[in-house]
Amino acid sequence: MTNHYLPVLIVGAGPTGLMMACELERHNIPFRIIDKKSSPTQGSNATWIQTRTLEILDLIGIADRFLKIGHRCGAINLYENSKHLVSIPFDSIDSDYPFILMLPQSETERLLQARLAESHIRIERSVELIDIKQTNNTVISIVRLANGDTENITSHWVIACDGANSTIREKCQIPFPGEDIQEQFMVADATMRSFLPTNEIHVFFEKGTIFSEKGTLFSAFPWNTKDYRLSANLYSSHPRQFFTEQEVKELVAERTYGNYIVEKVSWISPFWIHSKIVNQMREQSIFLVGDAAHTHSPVGGQGMNSGLQDAFNLAWKLALIIQNKAKPALLDSFPLERHSIVSHVVKETEYLTKMMLFDKSFFTKLRKFCKNAAKPKIAHSLSMELAQLNIQYNESPIIDYHEKPPTGAPKQGERALDVKISNTARLFHYFQNTKHQILLFTGIHCTEKNLKKLEQLQQWLDENYADEINTYLITTEEASQANNIISDKNNIIHTRYHLKTSAIYIIRPDNYIAYFSKKPNEDTLKAFLNEYLIYHG
């Protein structure tokens, strides 16, 4: 039995654990990542990559790798029997990625692992956590190695990414309240010929028959022009574990009214929906993220994406603490911010799933929903929610909400907005680092006196917070002598942010807005930054 110390131990090498590892590596934080499985995920599993996740991958610098092999879906179509009810398009999404990217989980994991391999980071497989203990400010994780030996790993922090059946959650005796929805589903991967658009998602609902009051649900999610993930409820009187290829072919033909013809089925599995969330995502030095903290209906493809965002939210905060650049209270914001978001997802997906499966008035509600969803404003709102671009941290202890931005401008707690500055440059390109970004807008018409004041503020910030912050002067003028200038001579950025006069935005490393003010003042900025950053000036 050996004993090693390190800052962070990540338990679980699924998408959430891999994202956590990629982010800690990007922040130069030493860690180990273990997984009890001997090999990566081989199946398709989680297949949706939402727009918000693509923006995260863009900030990391690897979005292009996913776009190269993923399949872009531009809309979701809903049907009642064979009648098309509505198409919810994604082309109005306020992002450089106005689509859902369909990609098997095995490929998502492969790309994240490849990113780690570039930094010579090894995933320790066939290493199973069997017990965990917290003493003072350290955690002792007892693991069993592939050869049967045990090892004690002493770390300051442990990140539980070990899934819905989390050993860490069990050992810490953290309750996982919720319920198991009784209806059984079948999922399958199939090659099919399609008579419907292959760059869109198609979901079929059918009323119950005289033999069953329950309606049926069938979904087809394309990975390319011929390969699909299929999902269907069974309304079976007893649980089933095995299905034949012929049964899948018949089910597809029946529920899609001949719109798909199955050529080959490569994988079939039973599936049950669990709707659960922990009451606490932190237990002293242990954090629960992804499926270890919440699991829910796959409606809308939110699950894996929520876990990836958990990791992205936590990593930068933990890195600042380990590097002694922030106060310990910063970590309190992780459960406060993320629990409310995932709790909403769990509740909404559970409600929708139960309504689809068990509500006798569902089809009346479906028609009403589709009628409203055909309206552009509502369709835009729906697509923004599905893409996870409407996530907002409304009550975070590390966000200043005091001053209201102009009407139409992005608000504190919302994600920052990207701007296409030219054919080759975007505002988000300046955010591809691990620091906070402070944007000093000069205003469309800036006097020499105000410009000088902003330049002095930028110099003060650079002198006192350079390790944690990048400060950019966004100016319509060419004469400024500031170090980091983002030229906005055509007012594109100012217009996008609805600003005519000078203003300050602070963007966190996870791309959410932490602060806004129209008053460039050193004392006010220092007071906010020192709420959680350690001032070294």
Side-chain angles (χ1 to χ4, degrees):
M1 179 180 290
T2 56
N3 191 303
H4 299 290
Y5 173 79
L6 75 160
V8 183
L9 174 67
I10 302 170
V11 181
T16 300
L18 292 169
M19 173 62 78
M20 192 74 201
C22 286
E23 278 300 278
L24 290 180
E25 186 281 326
R26 201 163 66 98
H27 285 268
N28 295 315
I29 301 298
F31 65 91
R32 287 172 65 180
I33 177 169
I34 65 172
D35 196 293
K36 66 180 180 181
K37 294 186 296 183
S38 60
S39 61
T41 299
Q42 302 300 314
S44 54
N45 295 24
T47 57
W48 298 41
I49 299 180
Q50 304 289 15
T51 302
R52 173 57 188 156
T53 299
L54 288 170
E55 289 186 348
I56 287 173
L57 296 170
D58 178 62
L59 289 171
I60 296 173
I62 59 174
D64 287 349
R65 306 180 189 187
F66 287 78
L67 296 173
K68 186 177 181 180
I69 63 173
H71 187 65
R72 305 179 190 195
C73 286
I76 296 178
N77 296 278
L78 305 181
Y79 302 80
E80 181 183 346
N81 300 333
S82 60
K83 180 183 177 182
H84 182 262
L85 295 178
V86 72
S87 179
I88 303 172
F90 290 91
D91 55 6
S92 69
I93 281 179
D94 194 4
S95 173
D96 206 45
Y97 305 106
F99 46 81
I100 293 171
L101 192 72
M102 304 302 296
L103 190 68
Q105 182 177 322
S106 55
E107 289 297 295
T108 295
E109 292 187 15
R110 182 182 65 80
L111 291 172
L112 292 173
Q113 289 174 61
R115 173 67 186 86
L116 291 174
E118 291 169 1
S119 300
H120 308 288
I121 292 172
R122 181 176 65 90
I123 299 166
E124 301 176 48
R125 299 199 176 275
S126 299
V127 178
E128 181 180 6
L129 183 139
I130 56 176
D131 204 357
I132 191 164
K133 299 175 182 177
Q134 298 200 66
T135 58
N136 298 324
N137 292 321
T138 60
V139 185
I140 300 173
S141 301
I142 304 171
V143 302
R144 180 184 294 116
L145 308 178
N147 62 6
D149 291 344
T150 59
E151 177 185 1
N152 285 6
I153 302 175
T154 302
S155 62
H156 196 70
W157 307 96
V158 168
I159 316 299
C161 306
D162 52 344
N165 298 314
S166 170
T167 300
I168 293 178
R169 190 186 64 238
E170 178 187 340
K171 294 295 182 182
C172 292
Q173 298 182 338
I174 298 173
F176 200 30
E179 65 175 293
D180 302 320
I181 296 176
Q182 295 305 308
E183 184 77 356
Q184 183 178 0
F185 282 71
M186 177 199 69
V187 291
D189 295 342
T191 302
M192 303 193 296
R193 281 185 286 146
S194 173
F195 296 98
L196 297 172
T198 58
N199 62 343
E200 298 179 358
I201 294 164
H202 301 276
V203 183
F204 296 83
F205 302 97
E206 186 174 9
K207 286 184 178 179
T209 67
I210 58 173
F211 302 105
S212 173
E213 290 185 358
K214 294 181 180 179
T216 63
L217 164 66
F218 177 87
S219 305
F221 312 115
W223 293 331
N224 51 52
T225 56
K226 294 203 71 176
D227 295 319
Y228 290 79
R229 153 63 69 82
L230 310 178
S231 176
N233 71 320
L234 299 177
Y235 60 83
S236 177
S237 59
H238 59 279
R240 295 186 56 189
Q241 295 294 331
F242 302 101
F243 306 89
T244 67
E245 183 175 74
Q246 185 59 33
E247 284 179 306
V248 175
K249 289 181 177 181
E250 292 173 358
L251 184 146
V252 171
E254 175 188 340
R255 297 198 186 180
T256 69
Y257 294 86
N259 280 300
Y260 292 103
I261 299 174
V262 176
E263 295 179 347
K264 180 184 177 183
V265 179
S266 57
W267 174 74
I268 314 171
S269 177
F271 177 68
W272 285 268
I273 293 173
H274 311 284
S275 186
K276 300 179 179 182
I277 181 171
V278 295
N279 293 323
Q280 59 192 82
M281 297 178 73
R282 178 184 183 183
E283 176 66 27
Q284 298 180 56
S285 297
I286 298 172
F287 292 91
L288 275 64
V289 297
D291 288 352
H294 47 84
T295 181
H296 50 81
S297 168
V299 169
Q302 307 289 296
M304 178 184 71
N305 295 273
S306 294
L308 294 173
Q309 291 185 48
D310 287 347
F312 202 67
N313 182 290
L314 176 59
W316 69 270
K317 298 172 181 179
L318 192 58
L320 285 175
I321 297 297
I322 293 170
Q323 294 166 343
N324 194 34
K325 295 178 180 178
K327 301 170 184 176
L330 173 61
L331 290 175
D332 295 336
S333 69
F334 168 71
L336 288 171
E337 289 183 349
R338 290 305 300 168
H339 192 276
S340 62
I341 298 300
V342 294
S343 179
H344 173 76
V345 171
V346 171
K347 290 175 182 176
E348 284 293 302
T349 54
E350 180 179 326
Y351 169 76
L352 290 171
T353 301
K354 287 182 175 179
M355 184 173 66
M356 288 187 294
L357 295 176
F358 308 124
D359 190 339
K360 293 181 180 179
S361 64
F362 168 68
F363 284 90
T364 300
K365 294 176 180 176
L366 176 65
R367 293 184 207 107
K368 182 179 179 181
F369 168 82
C370 291
K371 185 177 180 180
N372 288 328
K375 300 172 183 177
K377 284 187 178 180
I378 295 178
H380 173 73
S381 178
L382 288 168
S383 60
M384 288 288 285
E385 182 169 3
L386 283 168
Q388 297 189 324
L389 297 183
N390 66 341
I391 290 173
Q392 199 168 336
Y393 298 128
N394 291 318
E395 298 180 358
S396 172
I398 61 168
I399 294 177
D400 184 294
Y401 303 96
H402 290 97
E403 191 172 340
K404 290 185 179 180
T407 301
K411 301 176 179 64
Q412 300 94 316
E414 297 178 351
R415 85 191 220 287
L417 297 180
D418 197 8
V419 183
K420 187 177 181 180
I421 302 171
S422 68
N423 289 333
T424 57
R426 292 165 34 225
L427 183 61
F428 277 7
H429 288 161
Y430 293 90
F431 298 176
Q432 290 178 333
N433 55 74
T434 60
K435 298 182 180 182
H436 288 67
Q437 324 299 326
I438 295 188
L439 307 181
L440 303 177
F441 287 85
T442 63
I444 292 176
H445 301 292
C446 184
T447 66
E448 185 175 342
K449 180 180 178 180
N450 284 341
L451 181 60
K452 189 69 175 177
K453 189 174 183 179
L454 288 170
E455 289 174 345
Q456 290 173 346
L457 181 59
Q458 182 184 35
Q459 182 178 354
W460 175 81
L461 286 164
D462 289 343
E463 288 174 353
N464 293 284
Y465 293 97
D467 287 345
E468 301 91 2
I469 291 170
N470 290 320
T471 307
Y472 298 100
L473 190 70
I474 301 180
T475 177
T476 60
E477 306 295 331
E478 296 291 344
S480 176
Q481 300 301 310
N483 291 325
N484 291 330
I485 294 177
I486 301 177
S487 177
D488 191 28
K489 60 183 179 181
N490 295 320
N491 303 331
I492 297 172
I493 308 173
H494 279 78
T495 300
R496 183 84 163 95
Y497 276 71
H498 294 262
L499 296 173
K500 294 182 179 179
T501 59
S502 60
I504 300 171
Y505 271 102
I506 298 180
I507 316 298
R508 309 187 326 185
D510 60 355
N511 214 26
Y512 279 88
I513 297 168
Y515 178 92
F516 169 85
S517 179
K518 292 182 180 178
K519 304 165 188 174
N521 183 286
E522 286 184 13
D523 292 337
T524 305
L525 269 178
K526 183 177 179 180
F528 169 72
L529 293 171
N530 289 356
E531 283 290 318
Y532 62 88
L533 293 179
I534 295 176
Y535 180 61
H536 294 289

